[in-house]
Every structure is written in C-alpha cells, then in structure tokens.
C-alpha cells in the first residue's frame, strides 16, 4: 500500500481525493498496488467529511512521516507552496503539482533539488489542466527540436472571446458572465491581462529550449482592450481573435516568447477552439504540427493530471524522470522588437495613406473604418510606420 | 555512446536514420550521451548511401551484437517482423516499432516476452504516426477509466472524404488523386476498407481496457460505398462524413469496438480534421474529452515517434515501462447488435412510411430522396425496422 498526501483542499485538492476514490481499482491496476491518501493538509475545518480524520494542519506531520512517498501540492501561490515543496523534496518525497506560478518562477531550482535527492518534481497539470502536454513534449516529441509552440492557454479569456465572437456580447458583459459561471475569479486580472497564459508559455518554453524563461521578462498583453468592432473586423478578414501564448525558436537557439491576442484564420484548428477549452499546437522539426485539445481547467480534469503524475512517481519510483532546465543565465529570450509577423491594423483615415505606409494585403471598410491585413513586418518596423502614419490607428494585433 | 539498429530501410526506416542525424545534438542532450545507428537491416543494395557501410542483410549480426541495446522494427508485415522482434527481445534488446499490424495481432505476446526479459516493446508510432497518443493514454490519463475513444485514424480515407466534401470529387476519382499524391497505395484495400483503422482502434482498445481486441473480430466497414449524394445529405443535416474508429466502454468492463463511416456534426472538433490529418478524441471519466491532432503518417513524423520511443528505452534503460494487456481470454468485445446510437438514413419512398417506422428527428428532401436523422436505436433495432419499411433505404450510417 502506497501512502500519499495532498497539500491544499481547494478545488483541485478535493478533486485529487475524489479521483483516488473514484478510480481506486484502475489506479491499483496501473501501479500494481493500492494507493491511499494518508493526509490532507488544510487549515480550514473539514471534519464533517467522511475522510475528515485525514486532515492535518501541521505540515511537519507529513514531512516527517517516512511512509508518505509522494505528495501533491495544489495550494497555489508561491510562498508556503515553495517552502513545503522544497521540504518534501529534501525529505525524499516526490512532489506533483498544478501550481503554474510556482513552476514558472521556481521550477529550475525545485527540479535541481529533486534531482539531487533522487525524487521527482512533476507538473503535467500546470499547463492545459487535464490535457496531456508536458509529458508528450518531453517524451513523445523528444527526438524533435521545437520550432514553435502556439496555444490557447487560458480558458477564461477564451470563454470571453467566444461570447464576443459568437453572441456579440461586449467584453465587460462577457467577463461578468464568466464570473457568474465560475470561469473567472472576482479579481480577473491574472486571466484577462494574460499573466496566467504567460506562466504557461514560460513553462513550455523552459521545457522546449532548456533554460528558464522568466514570466517577469516575457511580453504579455491581455484582451481587455478588444472591442466588438475588432471582432467584426477580424471576421471580415476571415479570422477570429484568440489570446495566444507563443514561443518561436530562432536558428541560434534563442527564442521569442510572448502572450498577445492574435487574429487566427478560420481554417486554423486553433480557430475552432471555443469556450473554456484550451489547445496547444506544437511544431516539431521532424513531426510537424501536432495539437493537444481539451478542457484547460476544471476540478476532475486537473486533478486527474496531478494523479497521473503521482502514479508515475509510484510506478517508477526507483527511477527519476529526466526533466530540468537552466537558471536563465543563457538569456535565450529575444526582445520582441525584431519578431516578424503579419499584422491586422484597424485605422481611421485616408485609405491611400494607409496603403502607402503599410504593405496591405487586404483592406475592408467596416463601419466607416478600415480593417487591413498587412504582410509580415517586425514589431519595431510596424510601430515606426504607424508613428508616421497620417490618420488614427485604433488597434493592431498580430495575425497567425 | 549508445548503439542502435534499424530493421527495414523503407520510408519510415530511412526517416529514423535521418532524424538521428538531423537532431543528433538534441538527442544527445535528451539521453545524456550520443546515439549511433550501428546497423541497418535491408536486403536491397544501399551501398551508394553515405552510410552504406552500415547495411547488413543477416539479422543474426544484430541479434548477436551485445553492443546494440535498442532496435527499431519498421519492416511492416507480421512474418519476419514478428520473428526478428521476438529474437531481439529474447536477446535482451528493447524494440520500438511503427508496425500496427504486428502490435494489433501479436502485441500481447511480445509485451509478455519483453517483460520476461526486462526490456521494452514500445509502439507510439503505430497509431497516429507522429501524434503522441499511446504514452499520453497510459501515463497522462493513467488515473482515468476510458469511457470512449473516437478517432479519425487513417489519413488516406480522410483525404478522400475531404476531396468528396470540399471539392465534390467522386469516390473513385478522389482515390485516384490520393494514389497520384502518394497518399494511397496501388492496392488501397487496407485503407479504404478500414482495416488499417481497425488495427489502430484495436491497439487503443487493448491499452484502454487491458485485454486483446482481435482485429479479425472487430466490425469493420470502409468508405467505398459512400457517394456524393451521401455527402450532400450529411451536409443538409449539418454534418460531414468521417471514417471513425470507436471504442466504447460499458459499465461491466466489456466494450464495443468498431470502424465505420459516421456523420459527424460540424460543431465537433473532429469535423474540422481534413486531408491526411488524424485526430483521436479520448474521453476519460475524470478528465473529460481530450483530443490529439496531427499528421497521422509521413516519413519524418512517424520516424520521430519511433525515435522518441528509442530514446525512452535508452534514458530509462534499467527501468521497464509497465505496458501489457491480456491474451483476449476475457472476451471483452461486445457484439455490435446492441450498440445504441443515432442514425442517418437515406431513403426513397413515402415520407409517412419513413416517419412511422423510425423515430426521425429531422428529415430533408435531397434530389427526390429523403435524408433523415434518426434518434438513438440499437443496430439490431434499426435493421429490423428497415427490413419492414415500405420503400427503399439507400444507405445508413451512425451519427456521432
């Protein structure tokens, strides 16, 4: 009988307990013996639950129990989560997490500690919730260099954009709906300003390129400035607007990484990803494009990914996974100024001026304004041309 | 320096060599040391190649070289491939393959031999080419029971159907195009009659449910009887026609598995999968639906999946993967007669008779015929009702 512990009994933590109960038979079949959750750490009172006796509020009980070989950290945040994760690893316990903030900011250090103590620090659930992405990248696509990663990484913003696109709901109202439906938090900043997606693209970049991509340094633009008019212009250009986390490898091993709303052509498989669903398109230099799709959040989906990591630690407990990346000293992140891409430009002013200033491919008149698709320009070049442009550029976004 | 061997220098085999050359640096970084292909087994003369000196035509050279720890079998077929795979495993060498025919027919036995000799038999490339699916199922979704698997598993038939749907090309002409483009073989039977998809859904069922699903016993219907009129009727009902491999778990642990063309609603992510692309939708009881999408065939895509399996064998060589399924004695496969699903029925005759005989949800008149969507009925029930129906049922298919 394997003993496990859960740190944090919120949405994901209670889901992890539920998955271990619900699929106990399948789990025992998978690892060859039953797995029991021995402790749940939470400061709140859960004594009314059938497993209320398993709750502890003193972390050291778990830390000092040699029977516990694997721990899941689903507390969120970085302070206590960081401290407890480190102490578990130092005590020779593997840790599995859905905590993208911690993995993005301290993953390199925690992976080094795990390696030094011959245990695992696994985080499949930190990107894409229940969608398998971390392990496919590091194992199934191990024989590839990653040319590009391009993903809809945040369900809340995708829900809001879907409401705007499908039902003509304005941003503020769509955000309100998302909050009512439990898809957005009372303070939605981390979602709508792209910080959540940014942590995720950093984790994927760390894995793909082998050195730390600091979320503080990665350019991050959210969706709060997108209007229904932008949605309409995108539609007229054959596109939908999606918040995309992107990482693009350059020939010298450096890479661009950023989060920004993009116009996505309707033919792209990413365009069809709606509501709270996530999808991650990975381009390997041998395998071409592969896409992973599913619910990027949700109690049982995320919990089942954490559980799968725990089962992996148990089934292969004498053998660590080789996962690591550098501390950021390789400085792989390229400034976005030189990143070349086609653009969408929404403009009020004389069409001749617009076409003289920018290499327009297609220009549509939408409600007295002009919506143009512009062929590939660097970010700096676009900005410079716009600065000199007579008339008013209302908005611009990259096109995928 | 790790030494490997490749059995078969066809499309995939030459691709495996190319991936090892092209991504040598990434591969060395992944497993901690360089990997060299020491031998390539092929009876044909490849002495003109830069690596012509590595070719052998006597398998026992590889079998008896203790330096070779991992072998990829990409010969196809079952006779020699089975013999050589078995002998490699018995000699303590791990084997990785893209050979779906061999995995579907002899996988249970070869996995048992691998286990007994503490080596691996891995086959990520056998389903979905370069798309990660096997490993995500057995590792990332390990904490789930699989309720359903539903996939576009064959690129050739999907290309043909896409030509019929998008460009109004008749089946025979679309098949001809597929052959000209190299997507279909001179004898296209295995693709268009669904046998290839059948082997793949059997492998996925073996993994999902833990016992052998015999391709000989699994119901398999191809696309050769689908006409442009069916495509038009499907369109009028809001659907596209796709060849789907399906496995559906029942509460008692038995399962339905079959291959058949289906009407897929246009809103489904599977409907947007076009040309030679594959996609596999997996429904876990905790994680919900996740979908894996990409090119299901192609030299480098398939080769990179085989290489990734080889790297996994190398990186974790003291530790076997736990993969196995039974010999089929559990008899999990349910007869399709009792499988309940909504239907598409194309009919010539009086509408009143059709609506009296079948629980029609929507009926459209298309070119003097009637196309109906029918609510859920078992296969046997549909057949019985059709048998008694006045008029002529021209075709029928399940709806997803």
């Amino acid at each position: 009988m394997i003993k496990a512990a859960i740190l944090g009994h919120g949405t994901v933590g209670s889901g992890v307990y539920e998955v271990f109960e619900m699929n106990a038979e399948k789990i025992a079949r998978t690892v060859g013996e039953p797995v029991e959750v021995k402790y749940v750490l939470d400061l709140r009172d859960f004594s009314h639950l059938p497993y209320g006796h398993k709750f502890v509020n003193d972390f050291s009980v778990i830390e000092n129990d040699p029977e516990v070989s694997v721990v899941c950290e689903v507390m969120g945040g970085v302070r206590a989560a960081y401290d407890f994760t480190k102490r578990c690893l130092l005590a020779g316990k593997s840790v599995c997490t859905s905590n993208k903030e911690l993995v993005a900011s301290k993953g390199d250090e925690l992976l080094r500690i795990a390696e030094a103590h011959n245990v695992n620090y696994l985080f499949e659930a930190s990107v894409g919730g229940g969608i398998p992405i971390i392990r496919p990248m590091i194992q199934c696509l191990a024989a590839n260099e990653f040319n590009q990663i391009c993903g809809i990484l945040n369900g809340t913003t995708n829900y809001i954009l879907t409401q705007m696109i499908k039902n003509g709901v304005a941003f503020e109202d769509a955000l309100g709906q998302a909050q009512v439906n439990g898809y957005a938090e009372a303070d939605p900043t981390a979602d709508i300003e792209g910080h959540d997606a940014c942590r995720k693209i950093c984790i994927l970049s760390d894995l793909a390129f082998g050195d730390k991509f600091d979320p503080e340094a990665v350019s991050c633009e959210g969706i709060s400035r997108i209007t229904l008019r932008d949605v309409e212009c995108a539609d007229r250009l054959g596109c939908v607007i999606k918040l995309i986390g992107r990482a693009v490898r350059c020939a010298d091993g450096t890479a661009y990484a950023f989060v920004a709303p993009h116009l996505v052509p309707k033919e792209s498989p990413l365009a069809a990803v709606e509501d709270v669903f996530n999808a991650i398109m990975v381009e390997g230099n041998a395998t071409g494009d592969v896409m992973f799709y599913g619910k990027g959040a949700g109690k049982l989906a995320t919990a089942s990914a954490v559980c799968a990591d725990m089962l992996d630690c148990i089934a292969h407990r004498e053998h660590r996974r080789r996962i690591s990346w550098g501390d950021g000293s390789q400085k792989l992140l390229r400034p976005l100024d030189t990143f070349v891409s086609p653009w969408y430009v929404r403009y009020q002013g004389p069409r001749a001026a617009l076409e003289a200033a920018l290499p327009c491919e297609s220009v549509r008149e939408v409600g007295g304004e002009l919506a143009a698709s512009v062929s590939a320009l660097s970010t700096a070049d676009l900005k410079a041309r716009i600065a000199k442009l007579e008339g008013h550029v209302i908005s611009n976004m990259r096109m995928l």
Side-chain angles (χ1 to χ4, degrees), chain A:
Chain A
M1 173 82 84
I2 304 289
K3 307 282 179 172
I6 300 172
L7 309 184
H9 195 260
T11 305
V12 181
S14 59
V16 169
Y17 196 91
E18 194 174 329
V19 170
F20 272 112
E21 294 273 289
M22 176 169 85
N23 290 340
E25 198 194 317
K26 166 78 192 282
I27 285 168
R29 212 159 72 215
T30 301
V31 298
E33 60 187 305
V35 179
E36 190 207 342
V37 176
K38 186 169 179 182
Y39 304 110
V40 183
L41 180 78
D42 206 296
L43 297 179
R44 293 167 292 177
D45 178 17
F46 288 102
S47 55
H48 61 284
L49 291 176
Y51 53 101
H53 60 284
K54 301 194 170 187
F55 280 79
V56 292
N57 51 33
D58 176 3
F59 169 71
S60 65
V61 173
I62 295 167
E63 184 183 21
N64 296 323
D65 187 337
E67 254 200 340
V68 174
S69 59
V70 58
V71 174
C72 89
E73 182 275 295
V74 285
M75 305 161 62
V78 286
R79 290 164 161 275
Y82 170 67
D83 180 39
F84 293 169
T85 297
K86 201 166 159 176
R87 284 162 63 185
C88 283
L89 297 172
L90 292 170
K93 302 174 197 305
S94 288
V95 178
C96 305
T97 189
S98 60
N99 188 338
K100 52 219 158 228
E101 197 178 349
L102 184 58
V103 177
S105 63
K106 303 280 188 188
D108 57 320
E109 182 193 342
L110 293 169
L111 285 164
R112 274 196 302 279
I113 297 172
E115 190 175 358
H117 292 79
N118 203 30
V119 289
N120 282 303
Y121 182 52
L122 300 180
F123 44 89
E124 179 63 67
S126 67
V127 182
I131 307 170
I133 175 66
I134 303 288
R135 203 175 302 266
M137 272 184 63
I138 55 178
Q139 297 199 329
C140 306
L141 302 175
N144 285 265
E145 291 280 7
F146 295 101
N147 290 336
Q148 183 164 190
I149 300 163
C150 192
I152 296 170
L153 299 169
N154 179 271
T156 307
T157 46
N158 204 47
Y159 174 84
I160 292 170
L161 290 170
T162 304
Q163 286 300 312
M164 294 175 74
I165 294 163
K166 290 274 177 179
N167 302 328
V169 179
F171 172 79
E172 288 298 341
D173 298 330
L175 171 58
Q177 281 180 20
Q179 287 169 321
V180 166
N181 290 327
Y183 300 148
E185 314 209 14
D187 176 2
T189 313
D191 288 322
I192 65 171
E193 296 306 340
H195 304 147
D196 174 76
C198 183
R199 290 167 193 148
K200 293 168 178 168
I201 197 67
C202 285
I203 295 171
L204 297 178
S205 302
D206 297 339
L207 283 170
F209 308 124
D211 201 26
K212 179 176 176 171
F213 283 70
D214 185 353
E216 302 293 317
V218 162
S219 168
C220 179
E221 188 188 332
I223 64 164
S224 55
R225 283 183 302 180
I226 293 169
T227 65
L228 287 177
R229 177 57 60 82
D230 288 314
V231 169
E232 188 186 353
C233 292
D235 182 63
R236 293 288 301 280
L237 293 167
C239 295
V240 292
I241 300 175
K242 295 286 177 190
L243 183 66
I244 301 286
R246 261 177 110 174
V248 180
R249 185 173 75 108
C250 302
D252 64 357
T254 61
Y256 298 101
F258 61 103
V259 173
H262 280 67
L263 263 68
V264 178
K266 288 177 188 170
E267 309 83 67
S268 165
L270 289 174
V273 177
E274 298 186 342
D275 296 322
V276 294
F277 283 85
N278 287 13
I280 302 139
M281 182 85 84
V282 176
E283 187 198 335
N285 73 340
T287 206
D289 281 329
V290 290
M291 191 177 86
F292 304 88
Y293 167 93
K295 274 211 177 109
K299 178 175 172 164
L300 291 185
T302 307
S304 86
V306 179
C307 289
D309 274 348
M310 296 171 78
L311 300 185
D312 192 27
C313 292
I314 294 165
H316 302 98
R317 57 183 165 283
E318 299 88 25
H319 201 83
R320 285 194 66 249
R321 299 245 151 254
R322 299 170 64 96
I323 308 175
S324 67
W325 55 78
D327 61 3
S329 55
Q330 289 184 55
K331 305 215 174 302
L332 298 184
L333 181 67
R334 281 210 181 199
L336 209 45
D337 282 359
T338 54
F339 184 73
V340 173
S341 122
W343 292 86
Y344 149 79
V345 172
R346 191 175 134 211
Y347 170 80
Q348 196 149 38
R351 181 170 181 144
L354 179 71
E355 291 183 333
L358 296 170
C360 294
E361 294 198 333
S362 166
V363 181
R364 300 264 181 281
E365 208 185 301
V366 183
E369 300 170 0
L370 296 174
S373 62
V374 173
S375 42
L377 292 176
S378 73
T379 310
D381 192 2
L382 181 91
K383 277 188 195 158
R385 289 172 188 242
I386 282 179
K388 282 189 279 184
L389 179 55
E390 174 191 349
H392 174 49
V393 169
I394 304 158
S395 60
N396 63 78
M397 286 177 242
R398 289 183 188 79
M399 296 181 84
L400 211 57

